[in-house]
Amino acid sequence: MKFHITTFGCQMNVHDSGWLVRALESRGWEEAGENEAQVFIVNTCSVRDKPEQKVYSELGRIAAHLKRDENVFAAVGGCVAQQIGRGFFERFPFVKLVFGSDGIANAPNALERIVEGAENRVALLDFVSIYEERENPEERVVSISETRQAFVNIMQGCDNFCSYCIVPYTRGRQKSRRPDAIVDECHALVESGVREISLLGQNVNSFGLDKGGVGVSFADLLKSVSELNGLDRLRFTTSHPKDIAPEVITAFGELDNLCPSLHLPLQSGSDNILKAMRRKYTKERYFSIIDGLKAARPDIALTTDIIVGFPGETEDDFQQTLDMIERVGYESSFSFKYSDRPGVAAVNMEPKVAPEEASERLMRLQTLQNNITRNSLKNLEGLETHVLIEGLSRKQDENGTSWKGRDPAGRIVNVVMDETEGMIGLMIPVKILEAKKHSLNGERTGESW
Ligand code: 5AD
Ligand code: SF4
């Protein structure tokens, strides 16, 4: 069978899709281009209304392939699948499988049964209460990408119920994976040559605090993974400010391979709005975390998520968000206009901010952020660092081959080198020469390793 997979949304979806590809390949299926595919898999995101709309237009596009081959069918996974469920079977008759994030473990078998004709339509929408290990995590060792970077799931779901957020409804309650399974998987990855691991979960700082927990905290887990021999870089995402433990903050100064970067979603700089968002921290508490992080690791690069135009947000609230962005000096931020999501508490909150007002605020915020980003990248000029090469740069250079990689904080660095191949997965010592809008240019200063 030839299949094509499209992924929307967060890193967890990207990682889930990667697993699904490997699980299907181990059954003899083959990933193919759109014009050859017999099965289309769409892994969906419903966190905001824009990604959700994209899912529907993608399904509209897939429908056109029925003209080429009437047996073409689709599987819809992820958050929109969880939300709409069997409704997809009516809206798009060529959809034969829907699976939520807890159902994905059984999706490969369900696809096989559909292809064999044993089953016509399958819905895998039940939530589980304990993290379900997926088949063959070792499979990843064989098919690891050349970049020697890997993502490892440590949990599923979220218990926070921030008032704007659909995730607890689409991904279910928090379920921590067993720490020994996580460390074993990381160990196997490092043994196979992986140099950089990102631990993934919706709210990694509350790892172990659900009923799947076995008394191992996130700080303990970080330490165990960090100690793996041969692991050069360790990252994690996403963090919630209310759950970040002092031991995790100090870990940034203690664990050599823990990368100096943290994505710490602020959402708003106004205490009133934070309260309405049910974030359970104040801006002072948030700022004391930032102080702690900067004390532990002065070169830490901070990034964040911001929602503008949350119901009830006044110009003064918004101004406080701008102030906070300046005060923290985020290196970059992802900012979104608030959008109502079905079933969340904020749907009933008033007054809604007019869309033009929200757009105008978003623009002001992004202009401010661009200035801060420019300055903080500029400050890196002249510094020595090292870059893990991921591939060729988008723009090539007449003086050699331009390679793209990341510094320890995750910034993109382009380096021109004589080598035309064989650099992916190597670490290169680099001096930063020039800051661009969202990336850096550097020169190689020594031997790769
Ligand atoms: N409207 C706008 N942005 C949202 N996010 C989550 N839910 C909403 C919503 N209803 C943003 C938050 C979160 C990021 C992944 O998406 O900033 O951190
Ligand atoms: Fe959504 Fe809040 Fe959970 Fe993040 S912590 S996934 S914003 S409910």
Side-chain angles (χ1 to χ4, degrees):
M1 289 300 291
K2 293 194 168 159
F3 68 97
H4 181 78
I5 186 159
T6 312
T7 308
F8 296 95
C10 62
Q11 274 173 331
M12 270 150 291
N13 268 12
V14 174
H15 178 62
D16 281 351
S17 291
W19 174 81
L20 202 50
V21 168
R22 287 188 299 276
L24 290 173
E25 283 175 347
S26 77
R27 287 164 167 77
W29 289 36
E30 194 187 325
E31 203 175 358
E34 285 193 12
N35 290 327
E36 284 176 87
Q38 298 151 289
V39 181
F40 286 81
I41 302 167
V42 189
N43 201 357
T44 66
C45 172
S46 59
V47 75
R48 294 177 301 277
D49 56 1
K50 270 200 194 142
E52 185 174 337
Q53 288 316 316
K54 282 198 210 151
V55 170
Y56 294 112
S57 56
E58 178 69 11
L59 284 166
R61 270 174 11 84
I62 291 171
H65 287 272
L66 289 163
K67 288 199 205 98
R68 162 172 65 81
D69 175 354
E70 60 177 16
N71 293 321
V72 158
F73 74 93
V76 184
C79 290
V80 186
Q82 191 72 52
Q83 204 186 316
I84 311 287
R86 290 178 178 79
F88 270 115
F89 297 153
E90 281 131 48
R91 259 174 101 166
F92 298 96
F94 59 93
V95 172
K96 295 200 172 180
L97 169 67
V98 289
F99 58 95
S101 60
D102 284 1
I104 190 173
N106 294 313
N109 287 341
L111 282 167
E112 271 196 324
R113 287 202 308 278
I114 293 168
V115 167
E116 285 160 4
E119 212 113 38
N120 187 23
R121 296 219 144 83
V122 183
L124 303 170
L125 300 168
D126 288 345
F127 285 120
V128 296
S129 57
I130 293 286
Y131 188 98
E132 231 176 295
E133 281 300 318
R134 295 179 191 167
E135 64 184 46
N136 293 337
E138 305 83 358
E139 188 68 24
R140 301 178 51 174
V141 175
V142 190
S143 56
I144 207 68
S145 67
E146 291 179 290
T147 61
R148 298 169 76 181
Q149 296 160 310
F151 292 95
V152 173
N153 250 344
I154 68 163
M155 66 199 324
Q156 286 262 92
C158 179
D159 285 346
N160 282 323
F161 290 93
C162 300
S163 64
Y164 51 82
C165 187
I166 199 168
V167 167
Y169 306 92
T170 56
R171 290 191 168 251
R173 292 296 69 69
Q174 177 180 308
K175 295 149 280 240
S176 295
R177 192 177 173 193
R178 284 190 59 88
D180 50 355
I182 298 169
V183 175
D184 285 354
E185 183 177 352
C186 293
H187 180 73
L189 288 166
V190 173
E191 289 282 289
S192 76
V194 163
R195 314 180 72 155
E196 176 177 316
I197 288 181
S198 300
L199 302 178
L200 287 184
Q202 218 72 48
N203 184 14
V204 291
N205 288 281
S206 57
F207 173 80
L209 300 178
D210 49 275
K211 68 178 183 202
V214 291
V216 174
S217 69
F218 181 59
D220 300 334
L221 180 72
L222 265 184
K223 190 154 183 291
S224 312
V225 177
S226 157
E227 279 165 0
L228 290 171
N229 227 332
L231 181 66
D232 292 317
R233 292 179 173 186
L234 175 59
R235 308 181 189 282
F236 60 85
T237 200
T238 297
S239 295
H240 192 307
K242 88 174 157 57
D243 296 316
I244 192 160
E247 296 77 22
V248 172
I249 296 176
T250 49
F252 279 97
E254 290 161 358
L255 307 179
D256 286 345
N257 51 3
L258 183 60
C259 290
S261 64
L262 183 67
H263 184 67
L264 194 63
L266 169 68
Q267 312 298 1
S268 167
S270 150
D271 285 345
N272 286 339
I273 298 298
L274 286 173
K275 194 157 187 220
M277 286 176 163
R278 303 190 183 151
R279 291 290 286 175
K280 303 194 177 81
Y281 53 84
T282 60
K283 67 176 173 194
E284 281 320 310
R285 161 93 184 102
Y286 185 96
F287 205 65
S288 73
I289 298 169
I290 300 293
D291 280 345
L293 289 163
K294 287 183 178 171
R297 192 72 209 242
D299 60 342
I300 196 163
L302 298 160
T303 58
T304 200
D305 288 345
I306 305 279
I307 298 177
V308 303
F310 186 81
E313 184 187 72
T314 61
E315 174 58 29
D316 178 60
D317 292 318
F318 176 63
Q319 199 56 54
Q320 294 186 49
T321 301
L322 295 184
D323 291 347
M324 195 74 182
I325 290 174
E326 274 204 281
R327 210 167 135 190
V328 177
Y330 296 107
E331 213 169 278
S332 68
S333 60
F334 300 93
S335 44
F336 315 101
K337 276 194 281 181
Y338 167 79
S339 61
D340 268 341
R341 305 282 65 219
V344 306
V347 167
N348 300 318
M349 293 183 186
E350 297 285 347
K352 299 288 189 227
V353 173
E356 315 76 64
E357 181 73 45
S359 302
E360 199 255 346
R361 287 181 190 168
L362 189 69
M363 236 168 59
R364 280 159 63 200
L365 188 156
Q366 290 177 347
T367 307
L368 171 70
Q369 182 61 63
N370 286 341
N371 285 334
I372 300 175
T373 301
R374 195 171 312 119
N375 287 338
S376 51
L377 293 183
K378 193 102 195 122
N379 283 338
L380 301 168
E381 289 179 356
L383 291 187
E384 305 270 343
T385 184
H386 46 271
V387 171
L388 181 59
I389 299 296
E390 293 179 0
L392 292 173
S393 310
R394 215 161 5 122
K395 268 205 213 128
Q396 278 307 317
D397 192 284
E398 62 227 25
N399 302 317
T401 306
S402 182
W403 293 89
K404 182 186 80 170
R406 282 177 200 272
D407 75 356
R411 305 175 188 103
I412 293 192
V413 184
N414 296 295
V415 192
V416 176
M417 294 187 274
D418 293 335
E419 289 84 349
T420 53
E421 56 185 36
M423 300 309 287
I424 295 177
L426 292 183
M427 201 75 83
I428 314 286
V430 165
K431 180 174 175 186
I432 303 300
L433 296 178
E434 185 191 16
K436 307 298 263 187
K437 202 167 172 209
H438 295 289
S439 62
L440 300 161
N441 289 344
E443 71 177 354
R444 180 176 180 172
T445 56
E447 285 309 304
S448 59
W449 71 91

